PDB file of all heavy atoms in Angstrom:
ATOM      1  N   TRP A 334      12.847  16.779 -46.234  1.00  0.00           N
ATOM      2  CA  TRP A 334      12.627  18.219 -46.151  1.00  0.00           C
ATOM      3  C   TRP A 334      13.890  19.020 -46.497  1.00  0.00           C
ATOM      4  O   TRP A 334      13.925  19.748 -47.491  1.00  0.00           O
ATOM      5  CB  TRP A 334      12.083  18.589 -44.767  1.00  0.00           C
ATOM      6  CG  TRP A 334      11.868  20.067 -44.571  1.00  0.00           C
ATOM      7  CD1 TRP A 334      12.452  20.867 -43.635  1.00  0.00           C
ATOM      8  CD2 TRP A 334      10.989  20.916 -45.332  1.00  0.00           C
ATOM      9  NE1 TRP A 334      12.009  22.156 -43.759  1.00  0.00           N
ATOM     10  CE2 TRP A 334      11.099  22.218 -44.800  1.00  0.00           C
ATOM     11  CE3 TRP A 334      10.131  20.717 -46.415  1.00  0.00           C
ATOM     12  CZ2 TRP A 334      10.399  23.308 -45.303  1.00  0.00           C
ATOM     13  CZ3 TRP A 334       9.418  21.803 -46.921  1.00  0.00           C
ATOM     14  CH2 TRP A 334       9.561  23.074 -46.369  1.00  0.00           C
ATOM     15  N   ASP A 364       8.012  14.687 -46.596  1.00  0.00           N
ATOM     16  CA  ASP A 364       7.636  15.853 -45.788  1.00  0.00           C
ATOM     17  C   ASP A 364       6.675  16.745 -46.578  1.00  0.00           C
ATOM     18  O   ASP A 364       6.024  16.296 -47.543  1.00  0.00           O
ATOM     19  CB  ASP A 364       8.923  16.580 -45.332  1.00  0.00           C
ATOM     20  CG  ASP A 364       8.754  17.312 -44.021  1.00  0.00           C
ATOM     21  OD1 ASP A 364       8.190  18.419 -44.037  1.00  0.00           O
ATOM     22  OD2 ASP A 364       9.175  16.787 -42.962  1.00  0.00           O
ATOM     23  N   ASP A 365       6.603  17.977 -46.207  1.00  0.00           N
ATOM     24  CA  ASP A 365       5.668  18.955 -46.756  1.00  0.00           C
ATOM     25  C   ASP A 365       5.748  19.008 -48.288  1.00  0.00           C
ATOM     26  O   ASP A 365       6.834  18.987 -48.851  1.00  0.00           O
ATOM     27  CB  ASP A 365       6.063  20.321 -46.159  1.00  0.00           C
ATOM     28  CG  ASP A 365       5.011  21.370 -46.374  1.00  0.00           C
ATOM     29  OD1 ASP A 365       4.033  21.088 -47.083  1.00  0.00           O
ATOM     30  OD2 ASP A 365       5.176  22.478 -45.833  1.00  0.00           O
ATOM     31  N   TRP A 409       4.009  13.486 -43.986  1.00  0.00           N
ATOM     32  CA  TRP A 409       3.846  14.713 -43.201  1.00  0.00           C
ATOM     33  C   TRP A 409       2.429  15.254 -43.344  1.00  0.00           C
ATOM     34  O   TRP A 409       1.859  15.248 -44.433  1.00  0.00           O
ATOM     35  CB  TRP A 409       4.859  15.731 -43.739  1.00  0.00           C
ATOM     36  CG  TRP A 409       4.881  17.091 -43.110  1.00  0.00           C
ATOM     37  CD1 TRP A 409       5.712  17.515 -42.123  1.00  0.00           C
ATOM     38  CD2 TRP A 409       4.085  18.240 -43.473  1.00  0.00           C
ATOM     39  NE1 TRP A 409       5.488  18.855 -41.851  1.00  0.00           N
ATOM     40  CE2 TRP A 409       4.496  19.316 -42.659  1.00  0.00           C
ATOM     41  CE3 TRP A 409       3.070  18.465 -44.405  1.00  0.00           C
ATOM     42  CZ2 TRP A 409       3.938  20.607 -42.745  1.00  0.00           C
ATOM     43  CZ3 TRP A 409       2.498  19.741 -44.484  1.00  0.00           C
ATOM     44  CH2 TRP A 409       2.942  20.782 -43.651  1.00  0.00           C
ATOM     45  N   ARG A 441       3.178  32.479 -41.183  1.00  0.00           N
ATOM     46  CA  ARG A 441       3.659  31.696 -42.329  1.00  0.00           C
ATOM     47  C   ARG A 441       2.599  31.689 -43.434  1.00  0.00           C
ATOM     48  O   ARG A 441       2.400  30.692 -44.124  1.00  0.00           O
ATOM     49  CB  ARG A 441       3.981  30.254 -41.899  1.00  0.00           C
ATOM     50  CG  ARG A 441       5.038  29.579 -42.748  1.00  0.00           C
ATOM     51  CD  ARG A 441       5.149  28.080 -42.469  1.00  0.00           C
ATOM     52  NE  ARG A 441       6.228  27.514 -43.260  1.00  0.00           N
ATOM     53  CZ  ARG A 441       6.449  26.218 -43.426  1.00  0.00           C
ATOM     54  NH1 ARG A 441       5.687  25.336 -42.815  1.00  0.00           N
ATOM     55  NH2 ARG A 441       7.437  25.795 -44.141  1.00  0.00           N
ATOM     56  N   LYS A 474       4.215  12.353 -39.547  1.00  0.00           N
ATOM     57  CA  LYS A 474       4.746  13.530 -38.834  1.00  0.00           C
ATOM     58  C   LYS A 474       3.612  14.546 -38.763  1.00  0.00           C
ATOM     59  O   LYS A 474       3.128  15.006 -39.790  1.00  0.00           O
ATOM     60  CB  LYS A 474       5.945  14.085 -39.606  1.00  0.00           C
ATOM     61  CG  LYS A 474       6.564  15.344 -39.009  1.00  0.00           C
ATOM     62  CD  LYS A 474       7.857  15.673 -39.746  1.00  0.00           C
ATOM     63  CE  LYS A 474       8.398  17.040 -39.407  1.00  0.00           C
ATOM     64  NZ  LYS A 474       9.537  17.400 -40.281  1.00  0.00           N
ATOM     65  N   ASP A 476       2.527  18.063 -37.854  1.00  0.00           N
ATOM     66  CA  ASP A 476       3.165  19.371 -37.659  1.00  0.00           C
ATOM     67  C   ASP A 476       2.142  20.426 -37.256  1.00  0.00           C
ATOM     68  O   ASP A 476       0.919  20.221 -37.364  1.00  0.00           O
ATOM     69  CB  ASP A 476       3.871  19.754 -38.977  1.00  0.00           C
ATOM     70  CG  ASP A 476       5.106  20.599 -38.749  1.00  0.00           C
ATOM     71  OD1 ASP A 476       5.226  21.214 -37.669  1.00  0.00           O
ATOM     72  OD2 ASP A 476       5.945  20.654 -39.661  1.00  0.00           O
ATOM     73  N   ASN A 478       2.436  24.756 -37.499  1.00  0.00           N
ATOM     74  CA  ASN A 478       3.459  25.756 -37.796  1.00  0.00           C
ATOM     75  C   ASN A 478       3.094  27.212 -37.556  1.00  0.00           C
ATOM     76  O   ASN A 478       3.662  28.096 -38.207  1.00  0.00           O
ATOM     77  CB  ASN A 478       3.939  25.573 -39.234  1.00  0.00           C
ATOM     78  CG  ASN A 478       4.948  24.434 -39.308  1.00  0.00           C
ATOM     79  OD1 ASN A 478       5.790  24.285 -38.436  1.00  0.00           O
ATOM     80  ND2 ASN A 478       4.834  23.614 -40.340  1.00  0.00           N
ATOM     81  N   CYS A 524       5.392  17.547 -33.979  1.00  0.00           N
ATOM     82  CA  CYS A 524       6.272  18.595 -34.485  1.00  0.00           C
ATOM     83  C   CYS A 524       5.500  19.899 -34.410  1.00  0.00           C
ATOM     84  O   CYS A 524       4.284  19.915 -34.586  1.00  0.00           O
ATOM     85  CB  CYS A 524       6.648  18.290 -35.936  1.00  0.00           C
ATOM     86  SG  CYS A 524       7.744  19.510 -36.684  1.00  0.00           S
ATOM     87  N   GLY A 526       6.981  23.374 -35.887  1.00  0.00           N
ATOM     88  CA  GLY A 526       8.147  24.171 -36.273  1.00  0.00           C
ATOM     89  C   GLY A 526       9.342  23.693 -35.464  1.00  0.00           C
ATOM     90  O   GLY A 526      10.046  24.481 -34.844  1.00  0.00           O
ATOM     91  N   GLY A 527       9.548  22.362 -35.442  1.00  0.00           N
ATOM     92  CA  GLY A 527      10.541  21.767 -34.538  1.00  0.00           C
ATOM     93  C   GLY A 527       9.885  21.490 -33.207  1.00  0.00           C
ATOM     94  O   GLY A 527       8.835  20.842 -33.122  1.00  0.00           O
ATOM     95  N   TRP A 543       9.789  15.957 -33.033  1.00  0.00           N
ATOM     96  CA  TRP A 543      10.914  16.602 -33.705  1.00  0.00           C
ATOM     97  C   TRP A 543      11.395  17.735 -32.783  1.00  0.00           C
ATOM     98  O   TRP A 543      10.648  18.653 -32.465  1.00  0.00           O
ATOM     99  CB  TRP A 543      10.461  17.104 -35.075  1.00  0.00           C
ATOM    100  CG  TRP A 543      11.488  17.783 -35.916  1.00  0.00           C
ATOM    101  CD1 TRP A 543      11.314  18.965 -36.588  1.00  0.00           C
ATOM    102  CD2 TRP A 543      12.819  17.345 -36.226  1.00  0.00           C
ATOM    103  NE1 TRP A 543      12.454  19.276 -37.287  1.00  0.00           N
ATOM    104  CE2 TRP A 543      13.400  18.301 -37.078  1.00  0.00           C
ATOM    105  CE3 TRP A 543      13.577  16.238 -35.849  1.00  0.00           C
ATOM    106  CZ2 TRP A 543      14.697  18.194 -37.565  1.00  0.00           C
ATOM    107  CZ3 TRP A 543      14.875  16.130 -36.330  1.00  0.00           C
ATOM    108  CH2 TRP A 543      15.426  17.092 -37.173  1.00  0.00           C
ATOM    109  N   ASP A 546      13.802  22.670 -35.315  1.00  0.00           N
ATOM    110  CA  ASP A 546      14.125  22.858 -36.733  1.00  0.00           C
ATOM    111  C   ASP A 546      15.591  23.209 -36.906  1.00  0.00           C
ATOM    112  O   ASP A 546      16.069  23.298 -38.037  1.00  0.00           O
ATOM    113  CB  ASP A 546      13.249  23.972 -37.330  1.00  0.00           C
ATOM    114  CG  ASP A 546      11.929  23.435 -37.853  1.00  0.00           C
ATOM    115  OD1 ASP A 546      11.783  22.205 -37.942  1.00  0.00           O
ATOM    116  OD2 ASP A 546      11.042  24.254 -38.177  1.00  0.00           O
TER     117      ASP A 546
HETATM  118  C1  LIG B   1       8.148  22.734 -40.028  1.00  0.00           C
HETATM  119  C2  LIG B   1       8.851  21.483 -39.549  1.00  0.00           C
HETATM  120  C3  LIG B   1       9.896  21.070 -40.554  1.00  0.00           C
HETATM  121  C4  LIG B   1       9.244  20.819 -41.889  1.00  0.00           C
HETATM  122  C5  LIG B   1       8.493  22.062 -42.333  1.00  0.00           C
HETATM  123  C6  LIG B   1       7.678  21.802 -43.581  1.00  0.00           C
HETATM  124  O1  LIG B   1       8.982  23.824 -40.025  1.00  0.00           O
HETATM  125  O2  LIG B   1       9.401  21.686 -38.287  1.00  0.00           O
HETATM  126  O3  LIG B   1      10.566  19.918 -40.116  1.00  0.00           O
HETATM  127  O4  LIG B   1       8.376  19.725 -41.783  1.00  0.00           O
HETATM  128  O5  LIG B   1       7.605  22.511 -41.331  1.00  0.00           O
HETATM  129  O6  LIG B   1       6.964  22.906 -43.971  1.00  0.00           O
END
Side-chain angles (χ1 to χ4, degrees):
W334 178 240
D364 209 280
D365 193 354
W409 179 96
R441 207 191 183 192
K474 178 172 169 188
D476 211 340
N478 280 320
C524 180
W543 181 227
D546 272 349

